[in-house]
Amino acid sequence: MSAHNDDCLFCRLIRGEIPSAVVYENEQVYAFLDINPVSRGHVLIVPRDHAETLFDMRPGADAALLDAMRKVGRAVMLATGAEGLNVVQNNYKAAGQEVPHVHWHLIPRHAGDGHSPWPHGNYADTEEMGAVAAAIKSAL
């Protein structure tokens, strides 16, 4: 992990090499409008320090990000009249991460907007659910 990556799109935005519609920034965080929004007011929040995924972030960086998400999230809801807000974070291409710089999507939501984040399923039974929980616990 380094402070920045010369080839990273978000690092270039943070450095001002590429224009962006910045809505909030401080020493640790940079927040800007997504150019391909799910809904009007869709914001991306990124740490200034380059890390490809959540798992690569510097320990302790999460407090500043969470504070920014609360502050910006409230502002997004007020500015757009949203009734709700999705906070989405993807890691790796298989999960939908398109830019290899860890980031969070703040997506304003309105009742009946038709944006369902993902389909829901279920477990075959409580035995299957227990086996998955046990596998996760053993990996910790």
Side-chain angles (χ1 to χ4, degrees), residues 1-5 8-15 24-32 43-69 88-91 97 99-105:
M1 178 174 61
S2 66
H4 72 278
N5 178 316
C8 173
L9 173 64
F10 289 169
C11 288
R12 293 183 67 208
L13 285 168
I14 291 166
R15 290 193 306 267
Y24 177 78
E25 61 182 312
N26 64 27
E27 291 178 4
Q28 292 114 353
V29 176
Y30 190 82
F32 55 98
V43 170
L44 298 178
I45 294 187
V46 302
R48 287 183 177 272
D49 287 342
H50 181 81
E52 288 193 15
T53 71
L54 175 67
F55 310 110
D56 303 317
M57 285 179 56
R58 175 179 52 79
D62 49 353
L65 284 161
L66 188 56
D67 285 345
M69 281 185 241
V88 180
Q89 200 275 320
N90 305 317
N91 293 282
Q97 184 178 11
V99 177
H101 185 125
V102 65
H103 58 283
W104 283 258
H105 296 259

Side-chain angles (χ1 to χ4, degrees), residues 16-137:
E17 296 171 11
I18 299 172
S20 60
V22 179
V23 299
Y24 177 78
E25 61 182 312
N26 64 27
E27 291 178 4
Q28 292 114 353
V29 176
Y30 190 82
F32 55 98
L33 291 178
D34 190 316
I35 61 169
N36 296 303
V38 171
S39 61
R40 191 174 142 269
H42 178 165
V43 170
L44 298 178
I45 294 187
V46 302
R48 287 183 177 272
D49 287 342
H50 181 81
E52 288 193 15
T53 71
L54 175 67
F55 310 110
D56 303 317
M57 285 179 56
R58 175 179 52 79
D62 49 353
L65 284 161
L66 188 56
D67 285 345
M69 281 185 241
R70 277 194 288 264
K71 181 181 283 189
V72 175
R74 282 187 194 113
V76 165
M77 289 185 68
L78 285 170
T80 64
E83 300 165 80
L85 184 80
N86 284 123
V87 178
V88 180
Q89 200 275 320
N90 305 317
N91 293 282
Y92 307 107
K93 280 187 179 215
Q97 184 178 11
E98 294 178 5
V99 177
H101 185 125
V102 65
H103 58 283
W104 283 258
H105 296 259
L106 301 184
I107 304 169
R109 299 295 303 275
H110 302 273
D113 63 14
H115 299 302
S116 182
W118 46 78
H120 294 276
N122 55 32
Y123 292 98
D125 52 36
T126 57
E127 188 174 305
E128 179 191 15
M129 189 180 220
V132 172
I136 293 169
K137 286 179 186 178

